[in-house]
Amino acid sequence: MQALSWSIQYPERLRHSIVIASAPNLSAQNIAFNEVARQAILTDPDFHGGHFYAHNTLPRRGLRVARMIGHITYLSDDVMDAKFGRALRNAEISYSTQAVDFQIESYLRYQGDKFSEYFDANTYLLITRALDYFDPASKFDGNLSKALEKSLCKFLVISFTTDWRFSPTRSREIVKALVDNARDVSYAEIDAPHGHDAFLLEDPRYHRILAAYFDRISSET
């Protein structure tokens, strides 16, 4: 989204823009996920209206839940099932409402605990809100083609088939708007099982596409 925004704000300063696993704006579902995560932080008793450092504490419980929610949305159902399925941590089920019986529960809690130790809660709130408000087409009555009219650079747009949070459909919206403006745009839709997290992983096809594009940039200098 930042790369896309820079191409609009500073058209004379960008020669290339690579937009990966993104969208021209967040869907209502995405905004909803962000709001639930924010509420987990805002309702943590240790949040103190954002002044938690002054109270010598951190809203760790809220951050844990926020991270767990986010992490679920970054993975595909297939990957989660293949990695964890219904595997149990122990041979017997405790049938306790507070127990951590399933491997997926343990994994999410681990991710939440780790995240709560290093990520600032106010930063999390600000970043997710910025994502919610991002919508360059809003100034043009929802016309993305008009919004991208100012962009002059060359584009590479990449999406992943199982990314249901930032689906290929949303990337194709960006591609269409650029084609409407006769811009130089390449598009790759990669068949990867990992969901949104695919953009962080070492998928050979993904890396080959990026490498080829960077070679193209290098040849122009």
Side-chain angles (χ1 to χ4, degrees):
M1 286 178 171
Q2 284 182 306
L4 192 63
S5 181
W6 292 332
S7 78
I8 298 169
Q9 294 180 69
Y10 312 106
E12 303 293 341
R13 297 183 64 180
L14 264 71
R15 286 196 297 119
H16 294 270
S17 179
I18 302 177
V19 182
I20 304 170
S22 189
N25 56 33
L26 289 194
S27 65
Q29 184 188 54
N30 266 330
I31 294 171
F33 279 124
N34 284 348
E35 173 59 9
V36 173
R38 284 193 296 268
Q39 283 301 313
I41 295 170
L42 293 170
T43 57
D44 187 320
D46 288 328
F47 183 64
H48 295 289
H51 302 287
F52 42 88
Y53 291 124
H55 290 264
N56 247 354
T57 188
L58 294 170
R60 289 188 176 91
R61 283 167 289 187
L63 278 167
R64 286 189 194 105
V65 174
R67 177 57 172 168
M68 290 166 73
I69 293 166
H71 206 70
I72 291 168
T73 69
Y74 301 152
L75 300 175
S76 70
D77 185 42
D78 287 344
V79 160
M80 201 177 290
D81 190 57
K83 190 171 184 179
F84 302 103
R86 294 181 52 80
L88 297 169
R89 297 177 68 224
N90 302 300
E92 295 184 7
I93 303 175
S94 67
Y95 293 103
S96 167
T97 58
Q98 297 182 45
V100 186
D101 285 330
F102 292 92
Q103 291 284 2
I104 184 61
E105 292 176 309
S106 176
Y107 174 75
L108 288 175
R109 293 198 186 194
Y110 167 76
Q111 291 293 335
D113 287 341
K114 188 171 66 170
F115 186 77
S116 70
E117 294 299 324
Y118 70 81
F119 208 92
D120 176 72
N122 285 321
T123 301
Y124 188 96
L125 298 176
L126 184 62
I127 288 175
T128 57
R129 211 55 173 147
L131 284 166
D132 290 350
Y133 285 127
F134 179 77
D135 187 5
S138 63
K139 296 178 182 178
F140 301 92
D141 296 322
N143 189 329
L144 184 61
S145 297
K146 194 70 178 173
L148 285 169
E149 197 173 57
K150 291 182 179 179
S151 298
L152 303 174
C153 64
K154 299 172 184 177
F155 285 84
L156 170 62
V157 181
I158 300 175
S159 68
F160 301 93
T161 54
T162 55
D163 184 353
W164 57 272
R165 186 154 190 188
F166 292 88
S167 70
T169 302
R170 304 311 314 279
S171 286
R172 289 196 292 269
E173 288 178 39
I174 298 170
V175 173
K176 180 186 179 302
L178 292 168
V179 170
D180 287 345
N181 286 294
R183 296 294 177 261
D184 185 328
V185 54
S186 301
Y187 175 58
E189 186 174 312
I190 300 171
D191 185 11
H194 312 100
H196 186 58
D197 260 2
F199 87 97
L200 295 170
L201 302 177
E202 295 188 14
D203 185 302
R205 296 158 300 175
Y206 171 41
H207 282 206
R208 281 198 297 269
I209 290 166
L210 285 176
Y213 196 80
F214 281 120
D215 284 344
R216 173 186 172 183
I217 294 171
S218 178
S219 69
E220 294 176 2
T221 58

